[in-house]
Amino acid sequence: MFEYYQNPLIERYSSEEMLKIFSPINKFSNWRKLWIALAECEKALGLDISDDQINEMKNHVYDIDFERAAK
């Protein structure tokens, strides 16, 4: 359900690749990847961020609770 973008016009105008690019799972996992990159840069600049914290973020890039987010 969250692997493809949902819209009434998708059957007519979108390819499967485009549906995946704009899917909720892709959108939110890309945000998480950006947060990881930010945390790694902040750590390099001296902020108190441990490798364990960054690895925890990396382990949960695709663990998105869409039902909870909808609330």
Side-chain angles (χ1 to χ4, degrees), residues 10-71:
I10 60 174
E11 292 179 7
R12 178 179 260 181
Y13 298 112
S14 299
S15 66
E16 185 171 343
E17 292 82 12
M18 288 300 291
L19 297 176
K20 287 182 181 180
I21 289 171
F22 291 100
S23 69
I25 188 75
N26 193 46
K27 178 172 70 171
F28 292 113
S29 63
N30 282 337
W31 274 108
R32 288 183 175 190
K33 291 173 190 175
L34 287 171
W35 293 335
I36 292 166
L38 176 62
E40 290 171 336
C41 291
E42 289 175 334
K43 180 180 185 264
L45 291 172
L47 270 69
D48 188 24
I49 300 172
S50 70
D51 288 332
D52 289 338
Q53 290 171 316
I54 292 173
N55 288 332
E56 184 74 17
M57 292 172 68
K58 287 180 179 180
N59 290 335
H60 296 285
V61 170
Y62 298 102
D63 298 340
I64 301 168
D65 187 353
F66 290 103
E67 292 176 14
R68 185 173 179 197
K71 290 179 184 180

